[in-house]
Amino acid sequence: MRSTRFTLAFTAVVAVGLLIIAGLINLFNPGTTSPESDARTAQTADSPTTTPTGPGEPSVTPSSRPSSTSPPPTGRAWRTDGPASTSHATGSPATSSSSPGGLTRHGMTAEELVTTAARTMTTWDTTTDQSPTDAYRRALPLFAQEYDKIFVVPTKPVLPPDWWAAAEHDATSTPRVQITDTYPQGEATLYYVVAQWSWEADNGFELNAGPKYMTFQVRQDDIGFVIENWTEEQLQ
């Protein structure tokens, strides 16, 4: 009888102790969860959040949205929208404000072209011309277009002595030109020309000047003969 009561009392004490231990465990570890619960929580956190859309519209996730800070694409620094415009030289004769009206190389023979150019280039009027180059510019329709940038009137020309003497009397020149030699050069021909001129004025002033030696290289293009190269003793 005593043994039975002792066994019951011991069992009650052990049960109370287990309950106390279980209560202490729950008190100090309230967040303990099962491994399955932890796995489900992690999977939910990693899943992207979808944005609600209307019917028929695809869902957009944050990862598929373009970044607003991405720089726009740019082309190469040296690219252009189109080819640069270029000017093309034509076969028409060069023109100038000093060129006389009606002077054209159309229909001229090579000899006529050369003598007309030499005569025009030695015809001056000291009342209007600043230097001999003014007459050269009047002959530009007989030359290749490049000579428009070669026959430039200088700001301070070095004038020959006969020009100064003629200018004192407002004289004009009357030239005399002659072709002295001709040398074929393939498709071109080289002409040697000598020019002389006389200064005359209304007051009776007269002065013979020259000679000036020139060479003209002439070729033929779509319009006719043209002077493509020219030399003389001095250009002023």
Side-chain angles (χ1 to χ4, degrees), residues 36-46:
E36 292 81 0
S37 176
D38 292 339
R40 286 194 298 270
T41 303
Q43 182 179 2
T44 304
D46 293 338

Side-chain angles (χ1 to χ4, degrees), residues 89-162:
T90 63
S92 58
T95 58
S96 168
S97 57
S98 300
S99 299
L103 181 59
T104 175
R105 58 188 176 91
H106 182 74
M108 286 187 179
T109 65
E111 289 77 11
E112 290 173 341
L113 180 76
V114 168
T115 54
T116 301
R119 190 178 298 110
T120 303
M121 297 171 75
T122 50
T123 301
W124 300 293
D125 184 348
T126 57
T127 62
T128 56
D129 294 336
Q130 301 177 19
S131 77
T133 312
D134 286 280
Y136 299 172
R137 291 195 61 81
R138 288 192 287 269
L140 280 175
L142 311 178
F143 283 78
Q145 288 188 344
E146 292 78 7
Y147 277 87
D148 185 42
K149 297 181 180 179
I150 297 176
F151 292 159
V152 179
V153 178
T155 358
K156 296 180 179 180
V158 180
L159 301 174
D162 64 288

Side-chain angles (χ1 to χ4, degrees), residues 123-205:
T123 301
W124 300 293
D125 184 348
T126 57
T127 62
T128 56
D129 294 336
Q130 301 177 19
S131 77
T133 312
D134 286 280
Y136 299 172
R137 291 195 61 81
R138 288 192 287 269
L140 280 175
L142 311 178
F143 283 78
Q145 288 188 344
E146 292 78 7
Y147 277 87
D148 185 42
K149 297 181 180 179
I150 297 176
F151 292 159
V152 179
V153 178
T155 358
K156 296 180 179 180
V158 180
L159 301 174
D162 64 288
W163 184 285
W164 288 108
E168 292 180 359
H169 300 273
D170 295 338
T172 59
S173 67
T174 302
R176 300 179 303 277
V177 301
Q178 181 183 1
I179 297 175
T180 58
D181 287 297
T182 304
Y183 295 96
Q185 296 180 335
E187 296 182 355
T189 304
L190 186 64
Y191 292 87
Y192 284 80
V193 177
V194 59
Q196 295 178 321
W197 56 94
S198 299
W199 293 102
E200 299 175 356
D202 294 338
N203 61 4
F205 170 82

Side-chain angles (χ1 to χ4, degrees), residues 30-107:
T32 303
T33 58
S34 63
E36 292 81 0
S37 176
D38 292 339
R40 286 194 298 270
T41 303
Q43 182 179 2
T44 304
D46 293 338
S47 300
T49 304
T50 59
T51 304
T53 59
E57 297 181 4
S59 299
V60 181
T61 62
S63 60
S64 64
R65 295 180 184 273
S67 173
S68 59
T69 58
S70 299
T74 57
R76 299 182 185 274
W78 58 85
R79 288 188 60 184
T80 58
D81 293 336
S85 60
T86 56
S87 57
H88 300 279
T90 63
S92 58
T95 58
S96 168
S97 57
S98 300
S99 299
L103 181 59
T104 175
R105 58 188 176 91
H106 182 74

